[in-house]
Amino acid sequence: MILELDCGNSLIKWRAIEAVDGSVHMEGIAGSEDELFHALSSTRELRIRHCRLVSVRSDEEATQLVARLKERFGVDAILACPAKVQAGVTNGYEEYQKLGLDRWLAILGGYHLAKRACLVLDLGTAVTSDLVNAQGEHLGGFICPGILMMRNQLRTHTRRIRYDDRAAERAQQALSPGRSTVEAVERGCLLMLRGFVTTQVESAKQMFGGEFDIFLTGGDAVLAKEILPQAKVLPDLVFTGLAIACPLP
């Protein structure tokens, strides 16, 4: 069984897949390394033979996690690394090492699946957009705050904005002008997100014409699906790229 890890700034997304066909045996999200190891250790039928991971955390944290995996499961984890060219895709950053590894893997995964020009939109805590042409050249991208980040900034810096997550979820059920603070904030943030997404699609159309695929990933991908019915929602797009960047021997 193969253990795959996507270590973000705050959460660790993980899954265990069958080595033969890649089917997902189990998966989860952990808030810390300790929580991750507790979840993995509490599952008796989990027999880890290989491990690969991507981390946007510090080198020290990544090295520590690799060591813990070796100690606990006896596996040598393969860590995704920056690359200028990989699997037919050319990194578009002037300093390729500075492109976030999660973005790079999503780009690899998207181009591998599309086999033509594509737009990759990752709607998470931060929202990222990356464009890849038909030749596999990454043309660059954009980064802006996601809904969670926008909401938290308003809550932090505006004293009278106070509401819980349940109220926020209810407020997102419509897009009519808000008649309460929670509705005004949540619907405003959602419109900003959708405006960014729409702008990216229009840019892709200008660059590629009608021949390109759109991939949505990240926790808030569902919020953009309504306005992009042609897009493919792939929550595990980073893992698709991880398998390409870190093939097993």
Side-chain angles (χ1 to χ4, degrees), residues 4-6 13 15 24 27 52 54 80 89 101-115 118-123 128-132 213-219 221 231-246:
E4 297 182 324
L5 304 174
D6 177 6
K13 185 176 180 181
R15 70 178 191 177
V24 179
E27 59 187 343
R52 53 193 171 208
V54 56
V89 182
L101 276 171
D102 51 349
R103 283 176 66 193
W104 176 239
L105 295 185
I107 291 166
L108 288 181
Y111 185 73
H112 171 77
L113 294 173
K115 296 181 173 59
C118 61
L119 169 65
V120 179
L121 295 164
D122 188 341
L123 311 183
T128 63
S129 166
D130 287 285
L131 298 111
V132 187
D213 287 341
I214 303 171
F215 297 101
L216 292 171
T217 191
K232 300 171 184 177
V233 179
L234 299 175
D236 292 334
L237 187 57
V238 169
F239 285 138
T240 300
L242 179 61
I244 297 169
C246 300

Side-chain angles (χ1 to χ4, degrees), residues 39-231:
L40 296 175
S41 300
S42 61
T43 307
R44 293 183 178 180
E45 66 269 23
L46 195 61
R47 298 290 183 268
I48 299 172
R49 297 291 179 263
H50 304 280
C51 178
R52 53 193 171 208
L53 65 96
V54 56
S55 175
V56 298
R57 303 181 179 189
S58 68
D59 292 342
E60 181 180 354
E61 289 174 296
T63 300
Q64 176 183 316
L65 177 56
V66 169
R68 288 188 68 180
L69 289 165
K70 175 68 172 179
E71 179 182 358
R72 176 62 184 82
F73 300 107
V75 296
D76 294 311
I78 304 173
L79 184 63
C81 298
K84 179 62 179 175
V85 180
Q86 194 167 48
V89 182
T90 302
N91 192 315
Y93 262 30
E94 294 177 356
E95 298 180 71
Y96 73 89
Q97 303 93 333
K98 294 187 177 181
L99 176 64
L101 276 171
D102 51 349
R103 283 176 66 193
W104 176 239
L105 295 185
I107 291 166
L108 288 181
Y111 185 73
H112 171 77
L113 294 173
K115 296 181 173 59
R116 63 175 186 172
C118 61
L119 169 65
V120 179
L121 295 164
D122 188 341
L123 311 183
T125 303
V127 171
T128 63
S129 166
D130 287 285
L131 298 111
V132 187
N133 67 18
Q135 291 72 45
E137 297 170 337
H138 174 226
L139 305 180
F142 300 90
I143 305 173
C144 68
I147 284 185
L148 177 61
M149 193 175 294
M150 288 189 281
R151 176 193 300 144
N152 288 344
Q153 283 296 305
L154 286 169
R155 285 177 171 176
T156 300
H157 297 289
T158 308
R159 293 184 179 180
R160 292 184 179 274
I161 295 181
R162 295 290 184 271
Y163 55 85
D164 58 27
D165 292 340
R166 179 174 294 183
E169 185 176 342
R170 288 197 302 267
Q172 290 179 0
Q173 301 307 307
L175 280 177
S176 56
R179 297 175 65 86
S180 65
T181 298
V182 61
E183 289 179 353
V185 170
E186 291 300 317
R187 294 173 189 179
C189 290
L190 180 54
L191 286 172
M192 290 188 71
L193 175 70
R194 290 186 171 185
F196 175 81
V197 167
T198 301
T199 300
Q200 297 309 301
V201 173
E202 290 304 314
S203 295
K205 287 179 179 177
Q206 292 177 15
M207 291 183 179
F208 308 135
E211 299 298 320
F212 68 96
D213 287 341
I214 303 171
F215 297 101
L216 292 171
T217 191
D220 286 334
V222 66
L223 299 178
K225 179 60 177 175
E226 183 178 334
I227 61 171
L228 291 177
Q230 76 275 36

